[in-house]
Amino acid sequence: MANIPIRSDGLGKNPGVSALILTSLAGGEKHGYALVKDVAEFAGVELQPGTLYEALARLERHGLIEALASDDRRRPYRLTGAGATALSEYLATQRQVVKVGQSRLSQGWSFS
């Protein structure tokens, strides 16, 4: 099994939430409500406001996303180059986890 370094810079204690947000922003800039709707659509996960805004603040603090100017009270965010790199590294790690998990399940587990 290849050793893939897990880089958690700025992804926090729950990197899954951060990865969902970064994945959404990889598709273009979005404000909070648009992020929630997009994540629910592609991942089936309902992000709660507290979870979302805590993760957004952490991701911004670590330079993985940046807030953009807004004409109204909604604040859009966009992915930075560092954020794209962190997401790519996280996804590579998850692909390895999926590969190992599928291999192990195929060795003796049967599902009805």
Side-chain angles (χ1 to χ4, degrees):
M1 174 169 83
N3 287 331
I4 298 174
I6 298 175
R7 178 180 169 166
S8 60
D9 297 347
L11 295 186
K13 291 182 276 187
N14 186 351
V17 169
S18 296
L20 292 171
I21 292 168
L22 295 176
T23 297
S24 181
L25 292 176
E29 62 188 54
K30 294 175 188 70
H31 56 77
Y33 181 69
L35 277 163
V36 168
K37 287 188 63 132
D38 187 45
V39 168
E41 185 177 299
F42 77 75
V45 174
E46 295 268 340
L47 293 177
Q48 297 302 308
T51 301
L52 173 69
Y53 290 104
E54 179 182 317
L56 286 172
R58 181 180 57 256
L59 292 169
E60 187 175 15
R61 211 172 34 252
H62 288 281
L64 304 181
I65 65 172
E66 59 187 1
L68 303 173
S70 175
D71 294 337
D72 60 19
R73 63 186 192 101
R74 295 182 297 185
R75 173 180 248 176
Y77 294 88
R78 74 173 160 208
L79 188 65
T80 64
T85 298
L87 177 60
S88 178
E89 290 175 357
Y90 176 79
L91 293 174
T93 299
Q94 294 310 299
R95 279 191 293 277
Q96 181 64 26
V97 171
V98 168
K99 180 180 171 185
V100 170
Q102 288 175 330
S103 172
R104 290 179 180 177
L105 282 173
S106 70
Q107 298 172 14
W109 287 92
S110 62
F111 302 93
S112 45

